[in-house]
Every structure is written in C-alpha cells, then in structure tokens.
C-alpha cells in the first residue's frame, strides 16, 4: 500500500519561524498587536485581506523602516519592512549581508515573484520593471525572505509565509479551463 507524498505546505514547520517579539505565521491581528507592545498600530481591511501597520518607524538592524503585517482571512501571511528612500545603496548591501548572517545563503530572486505576492494585497502597485536587485532566502521553516529595490531608490524586505507562495495556496478562478 502506497502512502501519498505530503506537499511542502503540509510539511513546512511554520512554528519554527519567529519574528519580532514572538510573532509567528497564522496569528490573527489581535495576537500580533498584543506582541507589538509599545508600538502604535493602525488597521485596515478589504475583502479577505487585513493590513496592520506601525504609525511610527521601527528599528531594523541599524536602520528604520515602516512595519506592515499582512493577513489573509485573519491569519498572518506576510510581513513587510519598507525603508526610507533616503537610505543609501550601502545600506541595501549592508542588509543583504546582515540577512545572510541570520538566514544563510541567498539566491537571485525574480521580480515577478514579489509582484505576484504583493498583487494579491495591492493590485497594480508593483510592476516587475519597478523592482530590481531581488534576493531571496529560504530557511527550513519554509518562509521566504525577499530583499529588493523599488523604483531604484527605496528598498524593502518581504517575509512570505509558506501559505503565501506554495502551489495551491492561492484561490484560482478555473471557469472555462
């Protein structure tokens, strides 16, 4: 008797990924806000997506960034740090090395991967032509960490849960296929 091979979405150990203050994947907005003590957070929702963001910038390594938590159906799905466009190219390269110290070897990423992820929440905000220097790390938790430049001057770090990028994790319209 054969046993079906589990998909990566069934075997990824989401609990092993820990973000600031013990924030983890699939937490709801209230759980995340409870762990972000001392931060003033705002929230907005549209359809299945909820965005919780810091009113003030937060410290990331030796820089400051906007912090955005992105939830799908009330479960934490992605996390974004958006850095000030005034940060220099050396800041971007510094973060490339710093992220590598935490998450290991990086690989060249594809702008379309980031566009695909963010288009679900902010349709049309990103285009592959506006993104460059995309790097991706993938620790054992299945989380993907993207560092990328936007429109040449600003840059962001996007943490994507396994639920956000694995095949079958998105609802597809299949009418007529």
């Amino acid at each position: 008797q054969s046993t079906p091979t589990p998909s990566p979405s069934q075997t990824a150990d989401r609990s092993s990924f820990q973000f600031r203050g013990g924030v983890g994947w699939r937490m709801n907005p209230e759980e995340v806000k409870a762990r972000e003590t001392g931060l003033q957070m705002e929230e907005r929702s549209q359809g299945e997506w909820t965005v919780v963001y810091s009113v003030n910038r937060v410290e990331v390594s030796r820089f400051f960034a906007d912090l955005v938590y992105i939830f799908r159906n009330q479960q934490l799905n992605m996390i974004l740090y958006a850095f000030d466009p005034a940060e220099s190219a050396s800041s971007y390269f510094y973060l490339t090395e710093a992220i590598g110290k935490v998450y290991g070897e990086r690989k060249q990423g594809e702008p379309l991967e980031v566009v695909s992820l963010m288009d679900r929440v902010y349709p049309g905000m990103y285009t592959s032509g506006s993104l460059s220097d995309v790097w991706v790390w993938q620790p054992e938790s299945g989380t993907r960490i993207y560092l990328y430049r936007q429109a040449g001057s600003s840059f962001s770090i996007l943490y994507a849960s396994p639920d956000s990028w694995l095949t079958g994790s998105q609802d597809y319209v299949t009418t007529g296929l």
Side-chain angles (χ1 to χ4, degrees), residues 107-120:
K107 295 181 181 172
Q108 188 72 47
E110 290 294 327
L112 282 175
E113 288 179 53
V114 176
V115 171
S116 173
L117 289 166
M118 294 306 288
D119 230 19
R120 301 171 192 178

Side-chain angles (χ1 to χ4, degrees), residues 4-68:
T5 303
S7 71
S9 63
Q10 295 169 322
T11 60
D13 183 10
R14 288 163 190 78
S15 63
S16 69
F17 177 77
Q18 293 291 301
F19 196 64
R20 302 165 41 100
V23 169
W25 298 129
R26 295 187 177 166
M27 286 185 170
N28 66 43
E30 295 310 314
E31 291 172 311
V32 170
K33 287 189 273 187
R35 284 173 172 73
E36 284 291 1
T37 58
L39 271 185
Q40 184 180 352
M41 306 289 285
E42 297 286 328
E43 182 175 328
R44 63 183 171 79
S45 296
Q46 182 175 351
E48 66 185 340
W49 296 99
T50 300
V51 176
V52 174
Y53 56 95
S54 61
V55 173
N56 299 312
R57 299 185 142 243
V58 299
E59 190 170 356
V60 182
S61 184
R62 61 182 195 189
F63 311 102
F64 290 90
D66 293 321
L67 170 61
V68 181

